[in-house]
Amino acid sequence: MPSPRLRHEAIFLLVFALDLVNMFIATVAYPALAAELHADIGTLAWVGTAYMLGLSVVIPLAPWLAARCGERRLLLAALLLFAVAAGLAGAAPSIGWLLGWRLLQGLAGGLLIPVAQAAAYRQCTPEQRGALTRRILLVALLVPALAPALGGLLVQWLSWRGVLWASLPLAVLAIALVLAWMPADGLRSAPRLQGYALATAMSALGALLLALTWLGEPDHRFAGAGLLLLAAVLAVAHLRNARRQPQPLLRWSLLSHRGLRMAMLVYLAVPGVFIGSQLASTLQLNHAGYSAAQIGALMLPWALASALAITGSRRLLARFGPGAVLRLGMVLQASGLLLMALQSQPSFALAAMLFALMGAGGSLCSSTAQTLAFHGVDAEALGDASALWNLNRQLSFCLGTAAIALLLALAMQWWPAHATGVALGLAAVLTLLPLALLRRSQLHSLSTPETA
């Protein structure tokens, strides 16, 4: 029987993999899904955005629910809801029903990672956290590589519905492990629910994502601008309220930590933009005659390059410092995106090379950002820093998808013949945005990753 630490780690890594499967596997099904359910580009983007929106908005509520209900009960309820929503999404008769079930699936999934992660890290000594972080990075590497390849085969063998059902076996296994390995919940005191803070945070995010979608539609552009303003007002209201609270829902004051602040920005601009760019690259490759299986298989060279980048990142950090490694990673990913934008009919070998460039660059940035995020954070603030980091991680994917979908929708109106190339080129520009801030940062003074 594994030790309690390994049991909690296994549960966390499994639900983390479950989240990544749902985030990466559906992309290759977009062309088939659009054809059967008659979805346009803006609506199609919401297949991913609805899931990630649910993930993002519920994360601040997870610690309160865990204290109120108990971690074991909450994980079981969330996994059951997740599995039911996945089954219903795969059976959806229309795009509207599909988006609704994806949102519900995201709301359930958003409770899984912060609760399971907190339970896993609680079992680790400070010296063991480094080993857990490396296992997290391994899962984050393998699942995005294998899920699209599996999804492409499922689309060809079954249909897009099989892709959405692919997470059900993992959910069932996770339920079994929680029942077998997690101890019963004891009595816990729940903090007061900060309803105003939660409502303003959730409303601001929802308004922002809907605004990004509507700005790409000529008939809704004015309403989109209004929603963008509303999102800004709600965000300001949330932050002003947080400053007055002795124990805010989210401890935004931790953003004064230079490493955490830069890490969150890098995650928005690099992994977030890459996830968003997959909609444009999938459509471009589909138009070039690639099958769903071939498109999914391109994540394999991405994963191989990512593995090499993660392996070499520690030596690069030690020799050149995080600032230089981040610059290299951004340039590599931006180069891959830009070259993809310029190739309307790339050969498979060339596309594989470009995905490898993006994998190397993205993983150099994400592994360095993971190091920066918690470097020097006090032990008592690790929980709050983890909540901010996980929220930003989900927001990165959510906002990246919405932003690139907006650019793609605008390009479809103005340059329809080159829309996917234009969107990929602009994604390359977004990847490079943090370079200006890196010039003024003193990240070279930070040390290398922990070696536990």
Side-chain angles (χ1 to χ4, degrees):
M1 175 69 72
S3 67
R5 176 177 66 85
L6 292 179
R7 279 181 267 169
H8 281 82
E9 285 187 14
I11 291 170
F12 166 55
L13 293 174
L14 182 58
V15 299
F16 182 46
L18 189 61
D19 172 48
L20 291 173
V21 165
N22 278 274
M23 198 173 297
F24 281 89
I25 199 170
T27 307
V28 295
Y30 282 173
L33 193 155
E36 184 173 329
L37 298 185
H38 311 291
D40 58 25
I41 294 295
T43 306
L44 196 61
W46 273 91
V47 175
T49 301
Y51 174 72
M52 289 184 281
L53 173 61
L55 284 171
S56 302
V57 299
V58 82
I59 284 177
L61 189 59
W64 182 84
L65 281 175
R68 180 86 177 183
C69 306
E71 290 177 339
R72 187 174 187 267
R73 280 191 291 268
L74 181 59
L75 283 175
L76 287 172
L79 284 166
L80 182 60
L81 183 61
F82 185 96
V84 169
L88 292 171
S94 67
I95 190 66
W97 281 105
L98 173 58
L99 297 183
W101 296 129
R102 287 285 284 175
L103 177 63
L104 182 62
Q105 194 180 12
L107 289 170
L111 297 174
L112 296 175
I113 292 179
V115 175
Q117 179 175 267
Y121 271 95
R122 195 180 304 120
Q123 298 290 328
C124 293
T125 64
E127 293 75 24
Q128 293 167 336
R129 286 177 184 162
L132 177 54
T133 297
R134 288 191 288 277
R135 284 190 279 273
I136 293 171
L137 289 173
L138 180 62
V139 173
L141 173 66
L142 291 176
V143 175
L146 299 177
L150 173 62
L153 293 174
L154 288 174
V155 170
Q156 292 190 187
W157 294 342
L158 302 172
S159 72
W160 61 266
R161 299 182 187 276
V163 169
L164 296 177
W165 287 329
S167 61
L168 285 173
L170 287 177
V172 171
L173 176 59
I175 290 173
L177 291 184
V178 171
L179 286 170
W181 284 355
M182 284 196 76
D185 296 307
L187 295 175
R188 301 183 67 181
S189 59
R192 180 178 62 87
L193 178 63
Q194 298 182 29
Y196 178 83
L198 187 63
T200 51
M202 294 171 70
S203 301
L205 179 58
L208 174 60
L209 291 171
L210 189 56
L212 290 174
T213 300
W214 280 2
L215 284 170
E217 302 173 5
D219 295 339
H220 295 101
R221 217 159 264 165
F222 183 77
L227 277 175
L228 198 59
L229 178 61
L230 176 62
V233 170
L234 288 168
V236 170
H238 173 83
L239 292 173
R240 290 184 64 182
N241 174 262
R243 281 200 297 267
R244 294 195 297 266
Q245 301 296 326
Q247 292 183 321
L249 181 70
L250 292 167
R251 194 168 161 186
W252 297 105
S253 61
L254 286 172
L255 292 182
S256 62
H257 181 274
R258 185 177 64 244
L260 179 60
R261 184 174 66 247
M262 180 57 68
M264 290 171 66
L265 177 62
V266 167
Y267 223 91
L268 280 166
V270 185
V273 166
F274 173 75
I275 294 295
S277 73
Q278 292 309 285
L279 172 61
S281 61
T282 296
L283 293 175
Q284 178 158 308
L285 292 167
N286 180 255
H287 292 156
Y290 281 68
S291 68
Q294 288 175 313
I295 296 172
L298 288 172
M299 287 300 290
L300 296 175
W302 178 92
L304 178 60
S306 295
L308 294 174
I310 290 173
T311 302
S313 63
R314 182 175 300 178
R315 279 194 287 267
L316 290 173
L317 280 169
R319 183 168 182 179
F320 301 107
V325 176
L326 289 174
R327 290 186 189 93
L328 175 61
M330 282 181 247
V331 169
L332 288 177
Q333 176 167 300
S335 299
L337 287 167
L338 183 59
L339 291 171
M340 179 68 74
L342 298 173
Q343 303 292 325
S344 59
Q345 298 280 336
S347 66
F348 188 84
L350 177 59
M353 184 191 74
L354 299 182
F355 268 76
L357 271 180
M358 290 184 266
S363 291
L364 282 176
C365 287
S366 60
S367 59
T368 303
Q370 184 83 31
T371 298
L372 292 177
F374 303 108
H375 178 88
V377 175
D378 293 337
E380 58 87 19
L382 276 175
D384 293 313
S386 178
L388 280 177
W389 175 252
N390 276 287
L391 178 60
N392 184 75
R393 173 181 167 273
Q394 300 296 351
L395 279 176
S396 298
F397 301 146
C398 204
L399 294 177
T401 300
I404 303 302
L406 168 61
L407 296 175
L408 183 58
L410 293 174
M412 289 287 287
Q413 296 167 29
W414 297 334
W415 306 285
H418 307 286
T420 54
V422 170
L424 289 170
L426 293 173
V429 174
L430 291 177
T431 297
L432 297 174
L433 285 180
L435 284 176
L437 292 178
L438 278 173
R439 288 185 193 143
R440 300 197 299 269
S441 176
Q442 299 300 315
L443 292 182
H444 61 271
S445 64
L446 297 178
S447 61
T448 58
E450 56 184 317
T451 57

